[in-house]
Amino acid sequence: MADNKRRGEDAGDDRLDDEIVDDVADDDDATGADEPVSRGGTATRSRARAESADKPKTRTETDRVGLFGRIARFFREVVAELRKVIWPTRKELLTYTAVVITFVAVMLTIVGVLDYGFAKGVLWVFGNPS
């Protein structure tokens, strides 16, 4: 019984206080890009509802956006995501490329040898129709 009250004195709610809530909007501009991203943060449902209730509705949330508006928003989001990418240096890129080519060559050799071996085995078992 004492273990149940270790996390806090409020034992009325069995949910953990540090429950991750996905109800918060995914838009980085609305949540403030300066805030650090927390893993397993302390957001609660009441806090998320209070923040979303205080935020005024924007045009995109209240009105339907046309086809060209959606396409433009898609490209803006693509550019925003590409800015977040950590691009590899030339040395890293050459290293990764060499690793991939080497791995593919090794797997190709293994598959080729097995294919040749199974083909010879099948011809040996069932005879060679000449």
Side-chain angles (χ1 to χ4, degrees):
M1 191 70 162
D3 290 337
N4 291 339
K5 294 191 178 193
R6 265 187 153 165
R7 293 195 68 97
E9 297 300 321
D10 186 22
D13 192 7
D14 290 339
R15 290 179 290 163
L16 296 176
D17 289 336
D18 59 349
E19 179 182 39
I20 298 173
V21 178
D22 290 333
D23 296 336
V24 179
D26 290 335
D27 190 26
D28 288 339
D29 296 334
T31 58
D34 295 335
E35 295 179 11
V37 177
S38 62
R39 307 270 187 239
T42 59
T44 60
R45 292 181 194 271
S46 60
R47 179 176 169 196
R49 286 187 190 132
E51 288 177 359
S52 64
D54 294 340
K55 186 175 69 168
K57 299 284 186 198
T58 61
R59 182 182 180 277
T60 57
E61 292 177 351
T62 57
D63 297 338
R64 291 200 51 134
V65 180
L67 176 66
F68 293 110
R70 287 184 284 173
I71 292 172
R73 188 176 89 194
F74 171 76
F75 282 111
R76 280 194 308 268
E77 290 177 3
V78 166
V79 169
E81 288 297 321
L82 286 176
R83 287 184 181 148
K84 297 176 188 177
V85 172
I86 299 173
W87 297 98
T89 63
R90 183 176 178 85
K91 184 178 178 183
E92 291 173 336
L93 186 64
L94 291 175
T95 302
Y96 297 155
T97 303
V99 167
V100 168
I101 290 174
T102 303
F103 177 77
V104 169
V106 167
M107 294 307 293
L108 180 74
T109 303
I110 291 171
V111 170
V113 168
L114 288 175
D115 181 50
Y116 181 77
F118 285 131
K120 288 294 183 179
V122 167
L123 288 176
W124 180 75
V125 170
F126 294 112
N128 193 358
S130 297

